[in-house]
Amino acid sequence: MTDNKTIYDQKVKTAEEALDLIKDGDYIFSAQATAEPIEIMSNLQHLKETGVKDCVLITCLPLRDYDYFHDQEMKGILDHHAWFMSAGLRKSYQEKLVSPVPQRSTTILGKTLKRIEKENRRPVVILTVSPMDEHGYFSTSVSNVYEMDLINEGALTLVEVNPNFPRTFGDNHVHVSRVDAIVEANHPIPTAKIAPYGEVDAKIGKYIAEYIEDGSTIQLGVGNIPNAVAHELKSKKHLGIHTEMFTETMIDLIECGAVDNSQKGLLNGYSVASFTLGSQRLYDYIDNNPAVLFKSSTFTNDPYTIGLNNKFVSINAALEIDLYGQAASETVNGLPFSGTGGQSETVNGAQRSNGGKSFLAMHSTYRKKDENGNEKTYSKIVPHLAINQAVTTSRNDTNYVVTEYGVADLTGLTIGERAKALIAIAHPDFREELTKKAEELQIW
């Protein structure tokens, strides 16, 4: 019987040699965010030399702006579909080199695999993994959003082994015998600092924290407002974590005793997540830590699964909300800015949970230049969304909306009542105008 080290050595290739395994029509899924394989991604233009055509690359929040994203010569060789936009991809979109895919995190993979099967194509997954252990297993390290699902579906698997990536637990271990090529890398793991938050964020954080009871299960994202909320939760007791993204602020809550995962009702004793991005402190914390489980987003973000947690609280950001309660969180002026992610699912799942609540949080205003180039303040609560603005959370699902001026609980309200509640938390400078617009639109 061949030992694991021998199997490993037989599969080691350069990034270009690994890409030589790509065939015409392949659908290549790159791992999400921190787990993207930098060596392989940096060499994608090698496909111009191999002669392949009609392939597709699917990315989800790539952290680097690769040369391939802006290479017009790659058209017809490797077309780019994006599940979550980044700054580099927003530029690529203007260059007509990437197409965003409307999606829910729990269903998009299944829908894409059906398309692949219908078109008689082959799925390929490229990802970064932690080093092989003594039993021949890699872990998918910082992301298990869809990577392990693809491996289990039999996708051609090209792994980039990096000793700087932590070994994690969950449904995320793959044996060396199941991978098709191994590329060795040693670049630093991508890091991100905790965003400092200001006075407005602090106010919003306090409002939300007042609604979170002891024994709640929380989902936090990244950014100023979630960080402010986490700070306010340090005095709580018996909190649990079931989230798409595991954040550094969650470590603070664990270490201060606010989180003990004892009353979740589902996977008690464990923090559950699908991916992570943060500082080296965060990566050191999750390394070989069996108390943090990385599970597929088809599990973590499934509204049914979420609903099995007690007092589940989802906290998400919105870019704009109209007087009907429709939330736009992924487009700016109708152009793709980010993606749906797990927002709509965690909003729905929270309301399935016994005692659950979902919050959409945002500053009441933003500033941008008008047509004359002058800085102007605009309300984020608007009479109605623009015709080309994507609705991320429908009015049927919106629960609590929070700005620095308070909390609007839309539960069970009529259209007229919810408009009044939203106007009450809009910036005072815009309330009169919003009231007039509501009357013109016959909202009440």
Side-chain angles (χ1 to χ4, degrees), residues 248-264:
E248 188 164 351
T249 55
M250 292 176 178
I251 300 175
D252 296 334
L253 293 173
I254 293 169
E255 292 184 343
C256 78
V259 167
D260 62 12
N261 289 308
S262 64
Q263 298 181 13
K264 293 170 63 181

Side-chain angles (χ1 to χ4, degrees), residues 280-333:
Q280 188 61 49
R281 174 197 175 212
L282 183 150
Y283 302 135
D284 291 342
Y285 180 84
I286 63 174
D287 186 36
N288 278 313
N289 187 344
V292 183
L293 300 182
F294 285 83
K295 300 179 78 68
S296 166
S297 65
T298 56
F299 176 88
T300 58
N301 291 357
D302 183 344
Y304 173 78
T305 304
I306 290 171
L308 297 177
N309 290 280
N310 295 319
K311 299 179 184 177
F312 185 88
V313 177
S314 73
I315 302 165
N316 291 290
L319 296 173
E320 195 171 72
I321 294 178
D322 70 14
L323 294 180
Y324 300 94
Q326 300 181 115
S329 305
E330 57 197 279
T331 54
V332 174
N333 298 322

Side-chain angles (χ1 to χ4, degrees), residues 12 14 41 161-162 168 193 284 303 333 344 358:
V12 172
T14 66
M41 290 287 286
V161 180
N162 191 321
T168 57
K193 295 180 180 179
D284 291 342
N333 298 322
S344 60
S358 71

